[in-house]
Amino acid sequence: MTRIDATFDRLRAEGKKAFVSYVMAGDPDYETARDVVLGLPAAGVDIIELGVPFTDPMADGSTIQLAGQRALEAGMTLERTLNIVRELRAQDTTTPVVLMGYYNPIYNRGVDQFLIDAKEAGVDGLLVVDLPPEEDTELCIPAQKAGLNFIRLATPTTDNKRLPKVLQNTSGFVYYVSITGITGAASASAELVAPEVARIKSQTELPIIVGFGIKTPEAAQDIAAVADGAVVGSAIVERIARGDSVSDVLSYVADLAAGAHRA
Amino acid sequence: MAEDFVNSYFTGPDENGRFGDFGGRFVSETLMPLILELEAQYEHAKTDDSFWAEMHHLWTHYVGRPSPLYHAERLTEMLGGAKIYLKRDELNHTGAHKINNVLGQIILARRMGKTRIIAETGAGQHGVATATVCAKFGLKCVVYMGAHDVERQAPNVFRMRLLGAEVIPVTSGRGTLKDAMNDALRDWVTNVADTFYCIGTVAGPHPYPAMVRDFQAIIGQETREQIMQAEGRLPDTIIAAIGGGSNAMGLFYPFLDDKDVAIIGVEAGGKGVNEKMEHCASLTGGRPGVLHGNRTYLLQDDDGQILEGFSISAGLDYPGIGPEHAWLHDIGRAQYVSITDVEALDAFQVCCAQEGIIPALEPSHALAHVLKIAPTLPKDHLLVMNMCGRGDKDIFTVAAALGMEMNNGA
C-alpha cells in the first residue's frame, strides 16, 4: 500500500474529504518553496502536489507558467525538486507527495534512473501531463512496477468510450479536470461537476479528486462535497507570486483545507 | 543502423504515430480525443477521391500549381559543377510552400464542421497562408505569433490583419515560435468544440507530422514528373532548408525509396553550431527529447529544459524538428548539415544577382549549401533545390544585416 492509498483509507475512516494542494518546486527560490512544502501537512494538506518546473508547460495557464519561469531562473532542477521531497521526508513520513509536470525533464534524466531516485527521495506518485494512456509504456508502466502511483487526468472530453482506457493503468486517484482549459482558468460549478464524478465513479473504485479554478474555501468545500476531494494550485501560487510570507501562504492553505474538510 | 534493413521508407508512421522511436502522441488528456478524431477523419479523407479532387482544383486555380522546375543556368555556370534546378514554390499564392498544407487542413476542418481556425507562425508565412485560406472560406482565424517575431516580420503581421485574421502577440515564455505553439495548444485545450488547430510544419502529435507531409508531398511529386520530362531521369541530389521541416519533407518524401537519390536537409546554424547554442540545428546540435506532442531532436540543456534557437531566419527559429527527419537522420537515409547566418546572407545576394530571384532567408540556407557542393560535383550531376519561399518579407532584415539604409536607396 502506498502513502496515497493509506491516506484515502484514513480519510474514509474519519469521514473526511481530501484536500490536495499544488505548489511549484523552487518558486520563487529553493528555500521559500521548501519552507512552504514543509508547512503544508500542518496546514491540513492531505496530499502534496509538487510542480516540477518546465520551460514549455503547454497545459498550464500564466500563473503556473510564470512560477516555473521564476523557479528555473532561480536555478531549480529536477534533482533539487527531489531534494525538497527528501527534506520533507526527514520530518514527515506519512503525507503523500505527487510530482506533477511534463515528460521531458524525466525522459532526459532517463526513466529508470529517475524512478530509482524518486522512490528513494520519498515520492509516492507521478502526474505527467503530456503522457496519455497511448504512451503508457514510456513511464506509467515502469513507474507502477517501481511502486509509484501513476495519477491520470480525466477531462470533460474523456467520453465514456474512452474512460476505461484512461482508468486502466491509473492508480492512487483520478484527477478530474473540471473544465476544458488550462490551469487557473474559470471553475466549473459543483452542480456540473457532480454528474461527471458519478460518471467516472461508475467505472472505477479509485477516489476522484477535482481541480482547476478553485480559489476559495467555499469553492473547495462545494467541490469536495460532490467528489472525494479538491485540488487548489494556481490560487496558492498567486499568493507566492505576489510575495506573501510563508506563514501567510500557509494560513491561506489552512483556510482552503478547512473548507474542503467541512464537506 | 544500416539502410539495408529497411524495405521501404513509405511505411511510417506506425499506428502509434511513430517513425522508429520518434513521433508519438505526447499531449494532455483534454486534447487526446481531438487528435484521435482528427486522425480518423484524415484517414478517411486520404482515400477519398473527392477530397483530393478539391485539393487539386484549388492547387491549380488558387495556388497556381504546378510550380515550375527551373534550370538555374547562370548559377550553374558560375559554380561550374552540378546542373542546378530550382523548384519554384516561392511562386505560389502567398509566396511560400506553406499554403499547400493549409489548404488540406482547412478542407478537412470544413468537413469536420469546425468554424474557428487557430495557427502558430514564426516568419509569418504559415500565418499568412492560414489567414488567406480562412478568408477564402469565411472562417474565423486566430494566429499566435511570438512578440519578437511580430516585431521583425511586420509586413506579414499587416497582411494577416488585412486578411481578417486576429494576430495575438505571444509574450509568455520568451515570446518566440515555440511559445506561440504553446499558446495555440492552450487555446485549443480551451476551445475544443469549434476549433481546428492548423499546424504549419511536420511536427506536433500524430497525425500532424504525417498529414502535413502528405499535403506537402505535392512538391516532390511534381519535381519527379518535371525532372523526368526535362532530363529523362531522376535527380542525383535533392536539397531543402529545415526549420520544422515541412518543405523538405514535401520534397524528400516521394524520393525516399529511390536509393540513388542523395537527400540533404539544411538546418539553420545561426552564429555557428557550438557549445553556445546560438543556432537552430536540432539534429546537428541537439538530442532526443519530448516537446509539443512528439519525440524528436531538441535543443535542450542538461536538465531537459528547452533552449531558444537563434537564426537570422524567423522561419527556421524553432528548437525542434519533425520526427520523420529525426528518423531519417538516425537511419542514415538523409544527410543533415548546417549553414550559418553569414553564409545564408551571401547566398541570398548571389541568387538575386545571378538569377533575378529574391529568395526568402529560409531557402537561402539550402542555396548556401548548394554553393558549397555544386563546384565539387560533375557537370552531369542533377541537383534540385527547393526554393520554398520568396524574400519580400525579409528585405528589412537583410538590409539591417548588410548595414544598408532602405529609405534613401543607398
Side-chain angles (χ1 to χ4, degrees):
Chain A
M1 182 181 287
T2 67
R3 286 190 194 93
I4 294 173
D5 299 331
T7 296
F8 281 106
D9 281 355
R10 171 181 63 80
L11 288 165
R12 255 189 298 272
E14 293 171 2
K16 275 163 69 177
K17 299 298 177 73
F19 178 69
V20 182
S21 70
Y22 171 99
V23 291
M24 177 67 79
D27 171 33
D29 53 55
Y30 181 92
E31 290 73 20
T32 309
R34 175 201 58 201
D35 291 349
V36 170
V37 169
L38 294 186
L40 291 174
V45 170
D46 299 302
I47 298 174
I48 296 170
E49 278 185 3
L50 188 57
V52 181
F54 183 50
T55 39
D56 294 80
M58 62 182 187
D60 283 300
S62 61
T63 300
I64 289 180
Q65 285 176 54
L66 291 170
Q69 275 174 246
R70 286 191 297 270
L72 290 172
E73 275 157 27
M76 202 59 189
T77 60
L78 180 55
E79 178 57 29
R80 301 186 80 206
T81 302
L82 293 176
N83 247 336
I84 291 184
V85 183
R86 290 184 189 108
E87 291 206 49
L88 174 75
R89 284 289 167 254
Q91 65 168 63
D92 179 310
T93 55
T94 56
T95 309
V97 174
V98 174
L99 292 188
M100 184 167 181
Y102 295 80
Y103 185 38
N104 199 53
I106 294 170
Y107 177 74
N108 174 73
R109 191 183 187 92
V111 164
D112 293 342
Q113 187 61 48
F114 166 76
L115 290 173
I116 291 167
D117 297 344
K119 188 79 186 159
E120 167 272 320
V123 171
D124 303 287
L126 304 175
L127 200 171
V128 183
V129 180
D130 51 354
L131 285 177
E134 281 73 7
E135 303 292 351
D136 269 357
T137 54
E138 294 281 333
L139 179 65
C140 171
I141 290 164
Q144 314 254 29
K145 278 193 188 140
L148 292 172
N149 286 130
F150 199 84
I151 291 110
R152 193 110 60 193
L153 301 174
T155 73
T157 60
T158 314
D159 61 17
N160 284 332
K161 199 167 139 247
R162 182 169 168 78
L163 200 48
K165 192 173 178 87
V166 170
L167 295 170
Q168 191 181 18
N169 291 322
T170 301
S171 64
F173 60 92
V174 177
Y175 184 140
Y176 180 68
V177 175
S178 63
I179 51 153
T180 58
I182 50 180
T183 52
S187 168
S189 66
E191 297 82 69
L192 288 172
V193 169
E196 288 293 292
V197 171
R199 176 169 77 89
I200 300 168
K201 277 209 172 284
S202 72
Q203 296 201 27
T204 183
E205 304 279 304
L206 290 169
I208 316 292
I209 303 297
V210 178
F212 277 40
I214 301 171
K215 288 182 165 59
T216 62
E218 293 70 31
Q221 179 178 355
D222 290 349
I223 292 291
V226 298
D228 296 305
V231 191
V232 179
S234 295
I236 300 170
V237 173
E238 270 166 22
R239 304 283 168 135
I240 295 170
R242 74 182 191 197
D244 280 17
S245 68
V246 170
S247 63
D248 284 352
V249 171
L250 290 171
S251 106
Y252 173 64
V253 171
D255 290 345
L256 292 164
H261 288 151
R262 273 195 299 276
Chain B
M1 257 181 279
E3 275 180 52
D4 301 346
F5 288 95
V6 181
N7 292 321
S8 171
Y9 297 94
F10 292 142
T11 53
D14 67 15
E15 69 279 7
N16 295 313
R18 297 294 180 97
F19 302 90
D21 201 28
F22 300 102
R25 288 180 285 221
F26 296 88
V27 297
S28 63
E29 175 58 24
T30 310
L31 291 183
M32 208 48 227
L34 278 72
I35 67 168
L36 290 174
E37 189 201 351
L38 175 62
E39 183 187 347
Q41 294 280 345
Y42 177 59
E43 285 302 317
H44 175 73
K46 211 162 74 169
T47 54
D48 178 351
D49 290 343
S50 69
F51 176 82
W52 289 105
E54 189 175 0
M55 287 286 283
H56 281 282
H57 178 81
L58 289 168
W59 271 338
T60 305
H61 299 285
Y62 192 64
V63 177
R65 301 208 73 90
S67 67
L69 183 69
Y70 162 74
H71 175 210
E73 285 182 64
R74 291 195 66 215
L75 204 56
T76 300
E77 196 181 319
M78 182 191 105
L79 297 171
K83 187 169 182 182
I84 299 163
Y85 280 92
L86 303 177
K87 178 60 175 164
R88 302 287 307 276
D89 252 54
E90 99 280 11
L91 293 175
N92 292 338
H93 181 38
T94 70
H97 68 289
K98 292 292 186 185
I99 197 165
N100 300 334
N101 157 53
V102 169
L103 271 178
Q105 290 197 49
I106 302 291
I107 293 172
L108 201 56
R110 278 162 49 86
R111 289 181 159 219
M112 292 171 74
K114 304 290 183 184
T115 53
R116 179 174 177 271
I117 308 297
I118 58 171
E120 84 295 333
T121 197
Q125 292 302 106
H126 175 60
V128 168
T130 306
T132 297
V133 180
C134 285
K136 183 193 153 35
F137 285 113
L139 296 166
K140 185 171 168 49
C141 179
V142 177
V143 179
Y144 289 89
M145 188 169 185
H148 176 57
D149 291 334
V150 167
E151 227 170 87
R152 64 174 166 172
Q153 303 286 339
N156 272 346
V157 174
F158 186 59
R159 277 186 194 108
M160 287 184 269
R161 289 183 172 144
L162 280 176
L163 292 160
E166 182 188 355
V167 180
I168 302 184
V170 173
T171 53
S172 70
R174 299 251 172 99
T176 59
L177 175 56
K178 84 174 170 68
D179 300 301
M181 198 152 180
N182 289 333
D183 268 17
L185 285 163
R186 291 179 184 119
D187 180 312
W188 202 22
V189 155
T190 308
N191 301 292
V192 294
D194 64 345
T195 298
F196 185 99
Y197 181 16
C198 182
I199 294 185
T201 191
V202 286
H206 179 62
Y208 282 99
M211 179 171 71
V212 175
R213 172 200 70 196
D214 292 345
F215 293 148
Q216 292 292 2
I218 186 71
I219 299 171
Q221 288 154 10
E222 288 175 4
T223 301
R224 277 183 82 91
E225 286 171 22
Q226 291 165 324
I227 196 85
M228 288 305 289
Q229 209 159 25
E231 298 282 350
R233 67 178 181 95
L234 294 180
D236 297 294
T237 301
I238 55 177
I239 298 187
I242 299 189
S246 71
N247 92 80
M249 215 51 244
L251 175 66
F252 297 171
Y253 188 65
F255 292 98
L256 289 181
D257 276 356
D258 299 300
K259 297 195 180 163
D260 293 334
V261 178
I263 297 176
I264 304 176
V266 183
E267 294 190 286
K271 295 180 183 171
V273 181
N274 54 28
E275 68 288 346
K276 280 160 72 189
M277 299 299 267
E278 289 171 312
H279 62 84
C280 297
S282 318
L283 287 177
T284 37
R287 62 177 197 282
V290 173
L291 178 70
H292 292 152
N294 58 170
R295 174 169 21 238
T296 188
Y297 278 76
L298 298 172
L299 302 182
Q300 53 186 323
D301 70 10
D302 292 342
D303 198 44
Q305 304 296 340
I306 308 304
L307 297 170
E308 298 294 328
F310 178 89
S311 171
I312 191 169
S313 153
L316 302 179
D317 206 347
Y318 180 70
I321 185 166
E324 195 164 6
H325 286 295
W327 176 65
L328 292 171
H329 168 75
D330 271 20
I331 62 173
R333 175 61 188 102
Q335 181 198 355
Y336 293 87
V337 299
S338 71
I339 283 292
T340 65
D341 287 353
V342 171
E343 293 169 322
L345 274 169
D346 286 347
F348 176 98
Q349 294 171 88
V350 167
C351 192
C352 295
Q354 295 295 317
E355 295 294 344
I357 296 170
I358 300 177
L361 282 169
E362 291 79 14
S364 295
H365 285 72
L367 188 64
H369 193 66
V370 170
L371 300 186
K372 273 188 187 175
I373 64 169
T376 71
L377 298 166
K379 287 189 192 306
D380 61 352
H381 189 102
L382 300 180
L383 197 160
V384 176
M385 188 209 107
N386 194 17
M387 181 59 74
C388 63
R390 67 177 86 126
D392 310 38
K393 69 183 174 60
D394 291 317
I395 54 175
F396 301 98
T397 305
V398 172
L402 298 179
M404 288 165 129
E405 292 275 344
M406 285 195 57
N407 49 6
N408 62 9

